[in-house]
Amino acid sequence: MPETEVNPTISKSTGLPRKRFYRARAHSNPLSDSHFPVPISPSHVDHSLHYPQYFPSSGQADSCKRIQFADIGCGFGGLLLSLSTLFPETLMIGMELRDKVTEYVKERILALRAANPGQYQNISVVRTNSMKYIPNYFEKGQLSKMFFLFPDPHFKEKNHRRRVISPHLLDEYAYALQVGGIIYTITDVEELGDWMKSCLENHPLFEALSKEELEADPVVQLLSSATEEGQKVARNEGQTFQAVFRRIASSDQTS
Amino acid sequence: MEDGETNKDVEVAPALIAVQPNQRSVAVAVGADLRVFNLHAGSAASLVDESGSSFHKDFIRAIRFGAKGKLFVSSGDDKIVKIWSVEYWRCICTVSSEKRVTAVAISNDGSYVCFADKFGVVWVVDLTGYDGNQPLVNKKATPLLSHYCSIITSLEFSLDGQFIVSADRDFKIRVTVFPSNPINGAHEIQSFCLGHTEFVSCVAFVQAQDYPHGLLISGSGDSTVRLWDIVSGALLDTCEVATKAGLLESNNDKSEERDHAVTDLCTILDGLLIAVAIQSFQGIVLLKCNPATRTLSVSKLVSIEGGAFVPTSLGNGASTGILWMVTGVSNLPGSSCPSFARVRAISGFDVEQEPTVVEHDKIPGGEQLLENLQGSASVDDAVFLAAAEAVKTAMCNLLIKKQYPAENRESKKRTRNDKKFKL
Ligand SMILES: C[S@@+](CC[C@H](N)C(=O)[O-])C[C@H]1O[C@@H](n2cnc3c(N)ncnc32)[C@H](O)[C@@H]1O
């Protein structure tokens, strides 16, 4: 009888991937050119690789299902796991720049799918630079939610352009989000929190959610609790700063 | 680490050409030199710039006439954008840029000048209400939009002025609504035209019924010219120019494709024909755009005999039937010539005629024009051949990303100090 394959990166007791085999450097410079495949356009994204249960055959998707949530800089994927069961029929994807971290999330999802048949089929992850390649993954107005949880702060003034929330990048997020879609941001760095909020406030295609809307949205509670970074901040009893905004239609009359 | 901040020792810039829409004048930029020939007067135009003695202090990377032919913009590595009033060739406005400039455009009504910098940010200068008389002092540019850290190769307004199109070295073409008040930025992205598999080098619009904005055409390092509907970003047709024109075997390998990169394109007779310059091809390929079927096809090849004339830039005065071409470089390493430029023209695009390369002695403007735009009326063949290599290098530098050798990349990684694991 052939020996069953042993994968040392998977913990025997839990069947889940061990984090220590997926160590990576803490920060990547999103400006340097990396070498990973990028789909030529959203129609080139092979859904069958990501969501085999929804797209059994490879090739272009004729299923009408599209990815609707994107977790940008998803890290170890905690948010995706929580959202997966909360919105079991919604396809979602994490985008992560660090190779090893992406591999870890992949393994994590595969292990959860194996352990819970029929579940976690709606989440996946890609290694990419979200600051460059959002338009290669999503059509105009495709997304209904985008998440930016505990992004890297890039304190120095000259590094502000590396921040994942910036006035110019918001143009691209507004493009990918449908009108009415929601962008969620949270950080434990006050300065970054102020920055993200003011970028959103000053952008003509976003408006803040009201207090009532925030309370009614079940996703808002997950922002500070679902991700690894959020849990770390909570353990240290750190403060968090969130900004949740809605994509609105343009008021500029051009035609 | 900065994309495109390259070593000046090996840096060479290709020569550029621009033609005034009514074909009154032709401008050539080579290195830091800007030369303008007034075809109407039959003499070199003398440029007046009260802001300083030398016009540009470093390589010029972009020159452009406005659609009405009243304004002209020049800019490049010296981080200075000069806006000229064409009538007396007076520099009416000098705007500084934080970074080197890679592309420029003028809105169709002449109210706004846009330029793109090395960081992929497009800036806008407001000229609304300007009557063209006094020089404008202390004009500042404000940011309009940004391609995240990708070098923008081409900027173009749609025919109706509603959109601004920006193309970059990361295969991307972005179509943005040009807002009523661009000073607050252009935030509404209409579409992305995605399909090229190499850098996009140039874009232009052709007129088409039912498309008030025009149909967009783009040329790329993937040896294709593509046709797009900018409203949806839909790819309407792909023309494998190099293959179709017989320059390339169809089952080519990548390196050969690089040699046949599309480096420039230019519409002739309002887009009835499209002239395409291809890396390594001594001449141009003429394409036909059929707006009804929304297709592109190769119509003919016009080769240029004698010497190694591979155009680095094409220009055409909108509705006129003459295509102007330049080949040249800013500097010739190891040669006594500081720079090199040679100008040719092709005429006879009107339907019944055969497009032919105009003989030197028949070129509009004659010897004076050549003397002015080339720097000398005739060019030594040996210099010409030496320049051909430099031209190739210049185009490669401009369009193809520097690839660090893998080893080099690894050592860079090893010396990083932020590799520690943190969570
Ligand atoms: C501090 S972590 C937060 C991770 C996760 N959201 C959480 O809350 O635990 C920020 C993550 O963003 C990733 N990141 C940074 N820039 C990125 C980019 N341009 N594209 C994709 N991911 C990026 C980093 O690799 C890192 O994993």
Side-chain angles (χ1 to χ4, degrees):
Chain A
M1 215 169 104
E3 231 181 313
T4 39
E5 265 193 79
V6 182
N7 186 343
T9 62
I10 305 285
S11 155
K12 276 216 201 80
S13 50
T14 63
L16 294 174
R18 296 171 177 163
K19 222 187 257 171
R20 72 186 158 97
F21 288 103
Y22 296 89
R23 291 189 177 187
R25 59 174 196 259
H27 302 289
S28 283
N29 177 356
L31 306 193
S32 70
D33 265 309
S34 311
H35 300 265
F36 44 78
V38 175
I40 293 169
S41 79
S43 63
H44 291 80
V45 176
D46 187 349
H47 288 74
S48 68
L49 289 177
H50 292 290
Y51 313 102
Q53 197 176 77
Y54 291 96
F55 301 87
S57 68
S58 119
Q60 299 326 320
D62 35 20
S63 160
C64 54
K65 243 184 157 45
R66 300 204 294 177
I67 297 171
Q68 284 187 55
F69 295 178
D71 183 6
I72 312 300
C74 66
F76 292 90
L79 178 72
L80 288 169
L81 304 189
S82 300
L83 290 173
S84 175
T85 46
L86 198 56
F87 300 89
E89 287 305 312
T90 304
L91 298 189
M92 34 192 121
I93 200 146
M95 298 186 130
E96 173 51 54
L97 187 57
R98 288 183 292 171
D99 192 16
K100 295 250 177 69
V101 176
T102 313
E103 286 307 311
Y104 171 83
V105 178
K106 257 184 217 165
E107 294 295 333
R108 199 174 175 186
I109 294 170
L110 288 177
L112 281 167
R113 284 180 184 172
N116 306 275
Q119 280 188 286
Y120 300 103
Q121 297 292 336
N122 59 335
I123 56 175
S124 190
V125 66
V126 283
R127 180 189 177 204
T128 198
N129 184 345
S130 68
M131 297 165 93
K132 272 185 119 144
Y133 301 116
I134 291 257
N136 296 72
Y137 282 91
F138 310 115
E139 311 266 2
K140 186 179 190 175
Q142 176 174 341
L143 298 177
S144 58
K145 291 186 194 300
M146 285 182 98
F147 297 91
F148 297 83
L149 309 194
F150 302 96
D152 297 332
H154 297 294
F155 288 107
K156 285 191 218 136
E157 167 95 37
K158 79 170 174 64
N159 286 340
H160 282 181
R161 60 194 197 90
R162 295 186 188 178
R163 288 180 168 170
V164 286
I165 297 284
S166 74
H168 289 310
L169 283 169
L170 282 179
D171 298 347
E172 284 195 14
Y173 306 152
Y175 165 84
L177 277 171
Q178 61 202 53
V179 170
I182 295 176
I183 185 168
Y184 298 85
T185 73
I186 190 167
T187 175
D188 58 326
V189 178
E190 185 165 12
E191 184 203 325
L192 180 65
D194 290 345
W195 162 273
M196 294 198 290
K197 195 167 172 199
S198 79
C199 286
L200 282 158
E201 275 170 352
N202 293 325
H203 198 285
L205 299 179
F206 290 100
E207 76 179 9
L209 261 65
S210 69
K211 221 172 152 228
E212 293 73 39
E213 287 169 320
L214 288 174
E215 275 160 15
D217 186 340
V219 172
V220 171
Q221 283 127 52
L222 295 177
L223 302 181
S224 56
S225 65
T227 68
E228 289 66 15
E229 200 61 31
Q231 287 157 10
K232 195 175 85 182
V233 173
R235 274 200 303 276
N236 299 336
E237 290 171 25
Q239 239 193 313
T240 57
F241 308 88
Q242 64 179 43
V244 181
F245 279 66
R246 181 189 299 105
R247 163 75 155 92
I248 54 172
S250 166
S251 58
D252 196 6
Q253 297 304 317
T254 42
S255 48
Chain B
M1 186 129 328
E2 245 55 282
D3 227 353
E5 290 295 330
T6 42
N7 185 349
K8 235 12 197 183
D9 294 343
V10 294
E11 191 74 345
V12 272
L16 305 169
I17 197 163
V19 182
Q20 202 177 349
N22 53 13
Q23 199 150 227
R24 281 173 86 100
S25 51
V26 181
V28 164
V30 52
D33 261 7
L34 180 59
R35 304 161 182 169
V36 181
F37 190 81
N38 184 331
L39 282 166
H40 234 65
S43 63
S46 61
L47 278 55
V48 186
D49 181 0
E50 276 134 24
S51 74
S53 49
S54 92
F55 305 131
H56 283 288
K57 294 180 184 66
D58 206 338
F59 299 160
I60 298 170
R61 298 292 187 170
I63 55 173
R64 185 93 186 220
F65 281 96
K68 289 184 178 163
K70 290 192 175 138
L71 291 175
F72 178 83
V73 183
S74 56
S75 193
D77 290 356
D78 65 358
K79 306 175 186 172
I80 293 286
V81 180
K82 289 199 172 287
I83 305 171
W84 308 79
S85 163
V86 171
E87 195 171 2
Y88 300 109
W89 281 100
R90 181 184 298 271
C91 178
I92 55 160
C93 184
T94 300
V95 183
S96 41
S97 164
E98 282 167 34
K99 301 284 159 197
R100 300 190 206 170
V101 174
T102 61
V104 295
I106 303 173
S107 69
N108 300 345
D109 61 0
S111 298
Y112 298 98
V113 166
C114 297
F115 63 89
D117 72 20
K118 277 261 141 127
F119 277 2
V121 178
V122 178
W123 302 77
V124 60
V125 182
D126 184 0
L127 299 179
T128 44
Y130 178 64
D131 60 6
N133 292 323
Q134 275 90 48
L136 290 161
V137 284
N138 292 328
K139 268 280 168 197
K140 288 237 161 29
T142 52
L144 183 73
L145 60 93
S146 165
H147 284 218
Y148 193 78
C149 294
S150 182
I151 292 180
I152 292 175
T153 51
S154 189
L155 276 179
E156 193 75 38
F157 281 90
S158 65
L159 296 179
D160 60 2
Q162 277 201 29
F163 299 100
I164 183 165
V165 173
S166 39
D168 71 29
R169 294 212 307 202
D170 279 311
F171 326 166
K172 203 157 66 201
I173 301 170
R174 168 174 158 166
V175 180
T176 312
V177 174
F178 195 72
S180 42
N181 187 4
I183 301 310
N184 296 335
H187 303 287
E188 200 183 343
I189 300 171
Q190 177 65 32
S191 66
F192 284 98
C193 301
L194 301 173
H196 280 300
T197 56
E198 273 286 344
F199 59 84
V200 183
S201 47
C202 43
V203 293
F205 277 95
V206 297
Q207 287 185 3
Q209 234 185 354
D210 306 327
Y211 294 90
H213 322 296
L215 288 172
L216 183 73
I217 46 173
S218 59
S220 154
D222 65 11
S223 306
T224 68
V225 171
R226 297 182 199 238
L227 185 70
W228 312 88
D229 173 2
I230 57 164
V231 174
S232 62
L235 175 61
L236 302 176
D237 197 19
T238 299
C239 182
E240 318 247 343
V241 260
T243 313
K244 286 273 159 55
L247 305 173
L248 196 67
E249 296 294 316
S250 45
N251 47 4
N252 62 302
D253 65 272
K254 267 280 191 218
S255 62
E256 214 181 324
E257 196 172 272
R258 280 267 160 98
D259 266 4
H260 291 88
V262 173
T263 54
D264 199 7
L265 49 77
C266 178
T267 59
I268 300 165
L269 303 168
D270 297 324
L272 218 58
L273 288 169
I274 300 140
V276 180
I278 295 175
Q279 175 90 306
S280 332
F281 177 54
Q282 298 173 29
I284 53 146
V285 178
L286 282 177
L287 301 186
K288 237 193 183 80
C289 173
N290 184 337
T293 56
R294 307 185 304 183
T295 51
L296 292 168
S297 54
V298 171
S299 150
K300 121 183 316 67
L301 263 70
V302 184
S303 30
I304 301 164
E305 306 298 326
F309 196 106
V310 176
T312 49
S313 172
L314 307 175
N316 169 246
S319 49
T320 60
I322 294 184
L323 176 76
W324 292 83
M325 305 172 287
V326 70
T327 186
V329 278
S330 53
N331 48 320
L332 284 176
S335 154
S336 54
C337 290
S339 67
F340 171 84
R342 210 161 199 209
V343 175
R344 309 276 332 233
I346 296 176
S347 71
F349 292 103
D350 320 56
V351 221
E352 290 104 75
Q353 291 174 29
E354 278 289 293
T356 44
V357 183
V358 180
E359 295 298 322
H360 287 302
D361 51 351
K362 302 236 171 55
I363 200 159
E367 204 158 289
Q368 276 106 322
L369 174 133
L370 295 177
E371 180 99 44
N372 173 217
L373 297 182
Q374 299 184 157
S376 66
S378 63
V379 178
D380 188 346
D381 277 349
V383 176
F384 205 128
L385 284 174
E389 252 331 283
V391 164
K392 202 166 169 178
T393 315
M395 294 314 277
C396 287
N397 285 354
L398 186 69
L399 296 168
I400 295 166
K401 285 191 184 180
K402 297 270 169 327
Q403 300 278 358
Y404 295 108
E407 238 172 80
N408 194 332
R409 212 160 42 223
E410 278 311 308
S411 75
K412 273 189 166 189
K413 272 192 201 158
R414 273 199 298 274
T415 55
R416 291 182 63 114
N417 56 9
D418 58 359
K419 283 206 298 185
K420 277 163 272 132
F421 182 68
K422 188 198 92 176
L423 185 78

